[in-house]
Amino acid sequence: QLPQAIALEEESLKIRKELYTENPSVWAEDYTISLNNLANSYLKSKQFKKSFRYFEEYFKLYDFSQQEDITRFIYSYVKWYQAGMHLNDDKLLQNISSHQQRIEKIYQKILGDTYEATVSEIVELYNDLGKSDDPFDREKYDIVRKLFRRI
């Protein structure tokens, strides 16, 4: 069923991209959500190159400064990083890291004194993945600990 879901998401993205191109201010949110959804689906099917590409576009376009909830950033970022890891290209991971630094600065301004505690709470939500029987889930746990545990 995942291939059929991906086909439908591809079609949806195509339509939303046209709408976004015609009127970005109205369609930006829907278009970026479609990018994120498709990237997630490709990651689930272990099509890392496609997943990476859609996450990359999502992170270029999504306006995190308008989103107070840092959960969306961390959740998507960990998956983007995971896709990049499987492409075995250190330059890609360096590029991803620059996005992390840029977006974390945005959230440090938005969340102020609560930033560190908020991120720590989200990181703790990944603890169950560390106990998962699925190596792919455990990998996400390792990534979030590596990237955000310092906080």
Side-chain angles (χ1 to χ4, degrees), residues 4-149:
Q4 293 89 346
I6 288 173
L8 291 173
E9 288 175 340
E10 285 278 8
E11 185 61 31
S12 175
L13 180 67
K14 182 180 175 185
I15 293 165
R16 285 191 170 100
K17 184 175 185 176
E18 289 175 19
L19 294 167
Y20 170 75
T21 302
E22 292 171 11
N23 195 344
S25 62
V26 172
W27 289 98
E29 179 79 10
D30 289 333
Y31 179 55
T32 55
I33 288 171
S34 292
L35 286 167
N36 192 5
N37 290 343
L38 190 53
N40 279 307
S41 292
Y42 276 124
L43 186 65
K44 285 179 185 173
S45 68
K46 299 196 175 29
Q47 295 182 57
F48 302 115
K49 192 171 189 175
K50 288 182 179 181
S51 176
F52 185 89
R53 184 170 41 101
Y54 286 115
F55 274 126
E56 184 173 41
E57 184 71 12
Y58 168 77
F59 276 94
K60 283 180 185 176
L61 296 177
Y62 191 80
D63 186 1
F64 287 94
S65 67
Q66 301 300 312
Q67 178 63 255
E68 288 186 26
D69 184 3
I70 193 171
T71 307
R72 175 184 256 179
F73 159 64
I74 292 175
Y75 181 75
S76 296
Y77 184 79
V78 167
K79 290 183 174 194
W80 185 26
Y81 194 92
Q82 186 175 32
M85 278 178 40
H86 285 274
L87 295 176
N88 297 316
D89 185 336
D90 289 338
K91 288 184 181 181
L92 290 178
L93 294 179
Q94 290 172 354
N95 180 40
I96 294 172
S97 294
S98 69
H99 284 281
Q100 178 183 358
Q101 294 165 3
R102 175 182 60 84
I103 296 168
E104 280 189 294
K105 286 179 184 176
I106 291 169
Y107 280 110
Q108 287 167 351
K109 287 180 184 176
I110 291 171
L111 298 172
D113 293 341
T114 65
Y115 175 78
E116 291 183 19
T118 302
V119 172
S120 291
E121 288 174 18
I122 295 166
V123 169
E124 291 304 312
L125 295 175
Y126 280 81
N127 282 343
D128 287 343
L129 291 181
K131 302 169 192 163
S132 173
D133 292 335
D134 182 350
F136 206 58
D137 283 344
R138 286 194 312 275
E139 191 173 74
K140 287 181 189 77
Y141 170 80
D142 292 338
I143 292 167
V144 80
R145 303 302 277 187
K146 173 185 176 185
L147 298 176
F148 296 101
R149 190 173 193 187

